[in-house]
Amino acid sequence: MDGLIEEVAKLLANSKHAVVFTGAGISAESGIPTFRGQNGLWKRFDPEEVASIQGFMKNPKAFWNFARELILKTKAKPNAGHYAIAELEKIGIVKAVITQNIDMLHQKAGSSKVLELHGSLEFVDCLDCGKAYRWDDLIDKIERGEVSCDECGSPYLKPRIVFFGESLPKDVLSEAIEEAKKSDVFIVVGSSLQVYPAASIPFVAKESGAKLVIINVDPTDKDWLFDVVIYGKAGEILPKIVEKVKEYCHVK
Ligand code: NAD
Ligand code: ZN
C-alpha cells in the first residue's frame, strides 16, 4: 500500500495538469450514505420513483419524502479526503475537480474549480412560476413533508440536480471532457463508475495519454483501465498522498 501511495505522489509531483474525479464514496466518511453498496439508499428507496424525472413529474411528493434523507447532505461537513484534494489545488497540482456529487463538500473544503456533473442541492426552482428557492430555506418544510411553492402553490419544486432520465448540463459536461483531455494524471475517488455519461470521462483521459489512478473501497468492473488501483478509504489514503507530494515538491 505504501508503495502505491508513493507511486501516486510521484505521478502528481511530476504532473502539469492533474484532475480529480469523485463520486459518492468520497463523501461516505462525512456520513452521507452512497446509493449503491451495502447501506446504500437504493436498498430502501426505488430510484425510478424518487430520482427519475418521470417519477418526479408523476409524484413530486415521493421525491420530497426521499429528500428528508438528503438533508444530511447539506448539513454534512467535508472530510480529510475533500481537504486533501483542496490542498493539492492550493499547491498548484490539481487543476480541476469533476464530481458526480451534489453535496457541495468540495467547495466547502476550499476547492475552487469544481465541475458538478449532476448539479447541486443549492437551489430549487418552481417549475410552474419559476420562483427560485435556496435549499437551506426549505429545510423546515422538507422536514414537515409540506413542500410546495409559496408563490403559486405548485407541488413541482425541483432541485437543480440531474434526475435519472435527464441529460447532464451540456456546458459542464463539455468542460469536464476538456479537462480530461488536458489531464496528464487523472484520479478517480469513490465512484463505482456505473452511471453514464460520467463514467466515460476516465476513458477520455486515458485516450489522451493520462496516467489513471483509482482509489475506492470496493473493486469496480473498470479497474483494468487504471495504471494504479488502491483499495482503501479516501479520507485515509488522500492525506497520505498529499504528505508525500509535499515532500517531493519541497512544500511545507
Ligand atoms: P456509488 O454509490 O455508485 O459508488 C460509491 C463508490 O465509492 C463504491 O465504489 C465504493 O467502493 C466507494 N467507497 C465507499 N466508501 C468509500 C470511502 N470511504 N473512500 C473511497 N471510496 C469509497 O457512487 P457514484 O459512482 O458516485 O454514483 C452514484 C450516483 O449517485 C452519482 O451519480 C451521484 O450523483 C449520486 N450520489 C451523490 C451523493 C453525494 O452527493 N454525496 C451520494 C450518493 C449518490
Ligand atoms: Zn410557483
Side-chain angles (χ1 to χ4, degrees), residues 125-131 133 148-157:
D125 299 305
C126 172
L127 297 187
D128 283 311
C129 76
K131 180 164 178 185
Y133 296 83
S148 60
C149 180
D150 289 343
E151 202 74 20
C152 75
S154 168
Y156 290 101
L157 294 196

Side-chain angles (χ1 to χ4, degrees), residues 18-33:
V19 171
V20 179
F21 174 101
T22 64
I26 190 152
S27 296
E29 289 159 84
S30 293
I32 300 177

Side-chain angles (χ1 to χ4, degrees), residues 93-246:
I93 287 178
V94 164
K95 306 295 186 198
V97 179
I98 302 169
T99 188
Q100 301 169 82
N101 294 343
I102 56 175
D103 55 29
M104 298 171 285
L105 291 182
H106 286 298
Q107 292 92 327
K108 285 182 186 161
S111 288
S112 62
K113 172 110 178 174
V114 184
L115 301 170
E116 295 172 313
L117 293 173
H118 297 157
S120 86
L121 287 173
E122 191 171 10
F123 295 105
V124 176
D125 299 305
C126 172
L127 297 187
D128 283 311
C129 76
K131 180 164 178 185
Y133 296 83
R134 296 192 75 88
W135 173 279
D136 284 347
D137 296 335
L138 291 175
I139 284 180
D140 284 348
K141 284 184 151 197
I142 300 169
E143 276 167 348
R144 288 200 308 271
E146 292 168 5
V147 179
S148 60
C149 180
D150 289 343
E151 202 74 20
C152 75
S154 168
Y156 290 101
L157 294 196
K158 184 177 179 293
R160 287 184 202 166
I161 56 177
V162 176
F163 282 73
F164 290 118
E166 285 191 299
S167 47
L168 274 60
K170 272 211 179 61
D171 47 340
V172 181
L173 180 59
S174 53
E175 209 179 327
I177 289 171
E178 277 315 303
E179 286 297 335
K181 283 185 181 160
K182 275 193 266 178
S183 70
D184 50 7
V185 176
F186 190 93
I187 305 188
V188 172
V189 185
S191 176
S192 62
L193 298 175
Q194 297 295 307
V195 179
Y196 284 87
S200 63
I201 297 175
F203 289 83
V204 174
K206 182 84 177 181
E207 272 164 28
S208 309
K211 288 277 182 201
L212 260 60
V213 177
I214 187 162
I215 303 168
N216 251 0
V217 166
D218 307 294
T220 75
D221 62 7
K222 298 179 182 70
D223 286 356
W224 54 269
L225 183 70
F226 291 82
D227 299 285
V228 185
V229 179
I230 301 183
Y231 298 121
K233 290 188 173 174
E236 290 168 12
I237 307 283
L238 286 169
K240 288 186 188 160
I241 292 175
V242 173
E243 217 173 282
K244 284 278 164 204
V245 169
K246 284 170 143 181

